[in-house]
Amino acid sequence: MELSLTTEVRMVKGVGPQRAELLAKRGIHTLEDLLGYLPFRYEDRIHFSNIRDLQPGGTYTVRARVMSGSAVPSSVRYRKHDAIYHLLVQDSTGSLPCKFFHGGYLEGRLKPGQLLVLHGKVEVDRLRPARIEMVNPQMELLRGEEMDSTEVGRIVPIYEAIGMFGSRAIRRAVYGTHFPPPDESLDALNAFRSPAQQRLVFEEFFLFQLSLGLNRRAIRRENAIAFAVREERIREALKRILPFKPTSAQKRVLAEIAADLERPVPMNRLLQGDVGSGKTIVALEAAVIAIENGCQAALMAPTEILAVQHFLSARRILSRVGYRVELLISGLNPSEKAAARERVRTGEAQLVIGTHALIEEDVQFNRLGFVCIDEQHRFGVLQRKRLMDKAAVHGIAPHVLVLTATPIPRTLSLTLYGDLDVSLLDELPPGRTPIVTRISSQQNLPGVWGFFGREVAAGRQAYIVYPVIEETKLELKAAIKEFARLSKEVFPKLRLGLLHGRLSSDEKEEVMQGFRRNEIQVLVATTVIEVGVDVPNATVMVVEHAERFGLAQLHQLRGRIGRGEEKSYCILIAPTRMSDEARLRLETMVRTTNGFEIAETDLQLRGPGEFFGTRQHGDLGFDVANPLRDRGLLELARREAFQLVEDTNQGPLLQQILGALPAHWQRRYHLARVG
Ligand code: ADP
Ligand code: MG
């Protein structure tokens, strides 16, 4: 059959309908898409290591034959998938034991004499320290007919399996394309530094930056309402709402925002400021300017808890100037919701605060002039766009301010927020005492609870955070059960509340209200409190199983305390034995409260995809490029792309590039539409 780039993958030899379905879930539809699914590393299968030469701590690829193999249950309670599979292999220089955790599925699959390629880390056998073993290696069985060039005798591409579609099958399906020339350096390949890879990385960055550049240009060409910001009555209104003296950073940022709002071009600005730096009031000030100019303002928050909190504080603060503030969340009952929407439509509601409910199909605004998106990292770029489109119905584009507490190193902000201007709130409000953070253990819990009880008895409030809502077989303490136990056995005299994601909106709101009013002294919660919750009287936080949480998450969680003038304490409960990475995370938390420092460490530990948590959004997941590893190319691609967009003489070239783009790029970045 003739293959072309647009051939459907199921027609490709070695794929077929079932695998095609798996591939479709990953967005791979055509042969071109499949070719774009690149190997994540390469293995040298020209030079295999001799078993005799293996050293503990090293990672090796060996070619060896099966001697014997068997599954052994890993615990007394035998569960088949839990079994450890022990495999013994040999080459001409010696034999090597291998161990596969959860290897029960291998039982009966391997026969003595079969030839395998094994790739993995060699470690000292814990029980017999004189011996070494390979632990959880990647393994491929070489069948007779596969002794050909796709498997051995060359540098071989290794893919992340897609469901049951394993690395070898993918390799065979794309045979030809991803096999580097034999003289290519393995190190260069694995560092993504070979010329072919650099070319692909550049393409990915370039097209992404092109879409940002075009987006930015499109926004700049739109009309926005130029607000009056200097008039006396507006200054008066701003002065009246301020519940405290703004920090100089807040003043500077407001001036930057006001300068944008004065222009007939939409503001498109990111306000970056660490947890607790006081972003909310700045957003409300901008809303006041919009409202005083006869426009509506909207504030979108990522969770209902946060939306309600913003609603309550905005209503309190703005009541001094008599504005009508509206709440729009999906938890409202149908008649409330209809009434709220009606007030939004007629313009009676001047500031509208809500969740995703704001961008639902049938919500209509009335002269929406200013939009603020809180904790932007929780939303995708597309959601931001949808809120902007809501305003654009009347031919005017809104001024947009997005808030984020995720501190981002410059190269990465170029990727995530590359089309925005950036303001920085780099100062905490005065009178904050630094939070004391300590690591402790289950064994010390009685002591921890003693201290905890004394703080609460002295009038403070506190959080206790658990990683899960209900018990799982992972033997983690769970919020529901611990809430019951703590209420009864540990703190019978204190008023405890329970908050987790499975409560209804009303239930959540009731608990939060109780906590805000200090009727609940101790909030037992899951990570639902992670973003934005602001109860300044809460000064103590205990995080159980802290080793299970990511750094960014711990930083956000800890940001719930240290918001008032009282000294705050964060106690991280973790086992005495944990992975090096977990220990590094917790020690980082103890060492610093600086969000930038924490973000840098986090980024080193996790890589950018995980860091942004954007994999699931799919709007930033690069296939080949890695903004951290390929910083230089990212900067270059940005310069080139922005130059191309801004240079009017290059218009025809730009059109030509957009016209020639492969379909998957157009889909991904909406380039065709934007252009
Ligand atoms: P974040 O930047 O994390 O969203 P918030 O806007 O919730 O922070 O502000 C954190 C706390 O600090 C709130 O209780 C807020 O009222 C208070 N705050 C903000 N700015 C100031 C200020 N200039 N002086 C005193 N308190 C402030
Ligand atoms: Mg906030």
Side-chain angles (χ1 to χ4, degrees):
M1 194 189 77
E2 269 301 296
L3 291 181
S4 77
L5 288 177
T6 53
T7 305
E8 286 175 49
V9 272
R10 76 189 156 80
M11 311 301 287
V12 175
K13 183 160 175 275
V15 180
Q18 271 181 0
R19 283 170 169 172
E21 240 170 73
L22 289 172
L23 291 174
K25 283 192 197 130
R26 285 283 188 103
I28 299 172
H29 307 281
T30 63
L31 179 56
E32 181 179 4
D33 296 338
L34 182 62
L35 294 180
Y37 189 74
L38 291 188
F40 72 95
R41 75 177 172 83
Y42 294 83
E43 212 166 88
D44 179 352
R45 292 194 183 170
I46 307 169
H47 312 96
F48 291 104
S49 301
N50 288 325
I51 286 178
R52 186 179 52 206
D53 300 332
L54 306 188
Q55 296 294 331
T59 299
Y60 301 92
T61 309
V62 299
R63 178 169 52 170
R65 288 192 187 276
V66 176
M67 294 172 75
S68 62
S70 63
V72 175
S74 62
S75 65
V76 195
R77 279 175 295 146
Y78 177 73
R79 277 192 301 246
K80 187 155 187 228
H81 65 273
D82 270 352
I84 298 179
Y85 187 78
H86 292 271
L87 177 68
L88 189 63
V89 299
Q90 83 182 139
D91 68 6
S92 59
T93 67
S95 66
L96 174 69
C98 304
K99 192 192 265 177
F100 296 82
F101 292 103
H102 305 286
Y105 69 97
L106 287 169
E107 182 79 330
R109 292 237 184 136
L110 298 174
K111 307 268 174 327
Q114 280 178 329
L115 194 56
L116 302 174
V117 173
L118 294 150
H119 174 89
K121 189 164 176 194
V122 168
E123 290 176 12
V124 174
D125 184 338
R126 286 231 177 105
L127 301 177
R128 283 156 298 189
R131 293 178 50 172
I132 56 168
E133 60 185 2
M134 200 178 246
V135 181
N136 275 345
Q138 290 175 26
M139 174 176 70
E140 280 187 31
L141 178 62
L142 298 177
R143 301 206 187 91
E145 82 274 14
E146 285 171 1
M147 301 295 291
D148 64 19
S149 54
T150 59
E151 300 305 314
V152 286
R154 51 156 61 249
I155 291 175
V156 171
I158 309 292
Y159 301 84
E160 199 182 310
I162 300 179
M164 298 300 282
F165 198 11
S167 179
R168 184 182 48 202
I170 297 174
R171 188 182 311 138
R172 294 181 74 79
V174 300
Y175 176 59
T177 304
H178 295 169
F179 291 79
D183 57 344
E184 192 61 83
S185 136
L186 187 71
D187 288 341
L189 283 167
N190 278 325
F192 268 75
R193 290 247 177 280
S194 78
Q197 288 164 317
Q198 296 266 289
R199 157 75 178 68
L200 290 169
V201 167
F202 181 81
E203 175 180 77
E204 200 164 25
F205 280 149
F206 179 76
L207 293 177
F208 179 68
Q209 290 297 335
L210 199 58
S211 84
L212 292 179
L214 288 168
N215 195 19
R216 187 185 167 89
R217 189 179 73 179
I219 289 172
R220 298 212 158 159
R221 284 181 180 173
E222 285 184 56
N223 300 317
I225 301 172
F227 292 152
V229 300
R230 294 157 199 267
E231 285 175 19
E232 195 49 37
R233 97 196 126 79
I234 292 173
R235 288 163 185 259
E236 264 309 303
L238 288 176
K239 232 189 257 159
R240 282 229 300 281
I241 66 155
L242 271 183
F244 33 61
K245 198 166 155 295
T247 63
S248 51
Q250 284 169 325
K251 280 190 205 153
R252 187 191 68 235
V253 168
L254 181 65
E256 287 165 6
I257 292 171
D260 284 355
L261 296 178
E262 259 183 324
R263 299 172 53 212
V265 172
M267 169 167 76
N268 196 28
R269 186 170 286 278
L270 172 73
L271 172 52
Q272 198 179 326
D274 210 345
V275 281
S277 59
K279 297 183 286 295
T280 319
I281 191 72
V282 177
L284 289 180
E285 288 178 308
V288 165
I289 295 176
I291 295 169
E292 286 295 323
N293 278 271
C295 282
Q296 260 181 335
L299 169 61
M300 182 159 80
T303 65
E304 291 201 353
I305 292 177
L306 196 48
V308 171
Q309 174 186 293
H310 279 325
F311 170 70
L312 294 173
S313 68
R315 205 173 49 178
R316 192 178 63 239
I317 290 173
L318 298 183
S319 66
R320 298 185 194 119
V321 277
Y323 299 156
R324 288 176 305 271
V325 185
E326 192 72 50
L327 177 68
L328 206 56
I329 54 177
S330 28
L332 300 178
N333 71 42
S335 67
E336 282 170 348
K337 205 191 231 170
R341 282 180 173 189
E342 185 57 17
R343 288 189 293 269
V344 173
R345 196 184 61 77
T346 60
E348 189 188 333
Q350 292 169 293
L351 172 60
V352 189
I353 298 181
T355 52
H356 294 84
L358 288 185
I359 52 174
E360 274 168 23
E361 212 66 43
D362 38 358
V363 175
Q364 274 178 39
F365 287 89
N366 186 304
R367 240 177 114 75
L368 180 56
F370 169 72
V371 161
C372 173
I373 298 172
D374 193 16
E375 305 292 350
Q376 156 82 26
H377 64 288
R378 293 304 189 91
F379 292 107
V381 176
L382 291 179
Q383 283 154 316
R384 174 171 21 130
K385 180 128 193 351
R386 278 186 60 186
L387 191 50
M388 289 162 66
D389 289 345
K390 287 274 176 203
V393 264
H394 306 293
I396 45 160
H399 294 286
V400 176
L401 180 67
V402 304
L403 312 182
T404 183
T406 316
I408 322 169
R410 183 184 137 73
T411 39
L412 293 173
S413 64
L414 286 187
T415 69
L416 195 55
Y417 301 123
D419 58 340
L420 300 170
D421 300 313
V422 178
S423 288
L424 196 60
L425 263 189
D426 50 3
E427 183 185 351
L428 291 181
R432 302 262 171 94
T433 7
I435 304 171
V436 176
T437 303
R438 293 276 178 270
I439 303 174
S440 192
S441 65
Q442 291 290 337
Q443 290 83 321
N444 287 337
L445 262 183
V448 169
W449 292 144
F451 167 77
F452 187 95
R454 284 193 296 279
E455 283 293 306
V456 176
R460 309 278 87 78
Q461 286 169 274
Y463 299 95
I464 307 175
V465 183
Y466 291 93
V468 289
I469 301 177
E470 271 180 310
E471 281 181 280
T472 60
K473 59 179 175 220
L474 287 174
E475 293 175 16
L476 294 176
K477 286 194 190 172
I480 292 178
K481 187 159 171 206
E482 287 301 306
F483 168 71
R485 196 182 65 83
L486 289 167
S487 313
K488 214 157 76 211
E489 294 168 22
V490 187
F491 302 116
K493 297 222 172 74
L494 299 182
R495 301 182 300 275
L496 275 66
L498 173 66
L499 189 71
H500 58 73
R502 246 186 269 147
L503 300 179
S504 72
S505 306
D506 284 348
E507 289 166 330
K508 271 187 222 153
E509 186 35 37
E510 208 182 304
V511 175
M512 276 313 295
Q513 205 166 19
F515 193 57
R516 275 191 294 266
R517 291 185 183 149
N518 200 355
E519 289 156 13
I520 291 173
Q521 297 165 289
V522 177
L523 193 59
V524 176
T526 58
T527 54
V528 286
I529 57 156
E530 179 184 332
V531 282
V533 170
D534 182 40
V535 177
N537 188 45
T539 58
V540 183
M541 172 173 283
V542 172
V543 182
E544 291 234 44
H545 297 290
E547 80 284 0
R548 316 264 321 170
F549 293 89
L551 250 184
Q553 218 172 15
L554 287 172
H555 180 59
Q556 286 283 346
L557 281 171
R558 185 173 58 182
R560 299 315 114 219
I561 57 171
R563 295 185 153 247
E565 292 184 1
E566 296 294 333
K567 192 162 182 176
S568 289
Y569 302 89
C570 175
I571 300 155
L572 306 169
I573 308 292
T576 37
R577 293 177 57 143
M578 58 185 136
S579 71
D580 290 348
E581 197 186 310
R583 182 168 304 284
L584 194 64
R585 284 198 299 263
L586 301 190
E587 283 168 358
T588 305
M589 290 297 294
V590 172
R591 190 184 68 238
T592 180
T593 50
N594 180 313
F596 273 96
E597 212 177 314
I598 289 175
E600 281 287 352
T601 310
D602 197 23
L603 208 50
Q604 304 297 344
L605 289 175
R606 289 197 297 164
E610 294 283 326
F611 176 81
F612 290 126
T614 40
R615 288 232 172 115
Q616 65 273 34
H617 292 301
D619 54 19
L620 194 75
F622 292 112
D623 286 339
V624 208
N626 174 331
L628 260 195
R629 183 190 60 203
D630 311 317
R631 277 174 203 225
L633 279 180
L634 173 60
E635 300 265 0
L636 180 66
R638 179 171 176 91
R639 277 198 303 277
E640 293 283 326
F642 274 59
Q643 223 167 48
L644 179 62
V645 171
E646 274 150 32
D647 185 348
T648 40
N649 295 327
Q650 303 273 24
L653 176 61
L654 180 59
Q655 283 312 321
Q656 214 178 334
I657 292 179
L658 293 175
L661 278 185
H664 73 270
W665 284 114
Q666 297 189 1
R667 274 206 301 277
R668 192 145 133 202
Y669 296 140
H670 308 275
L671 278 170
R673 189 169 53 76
V674 179

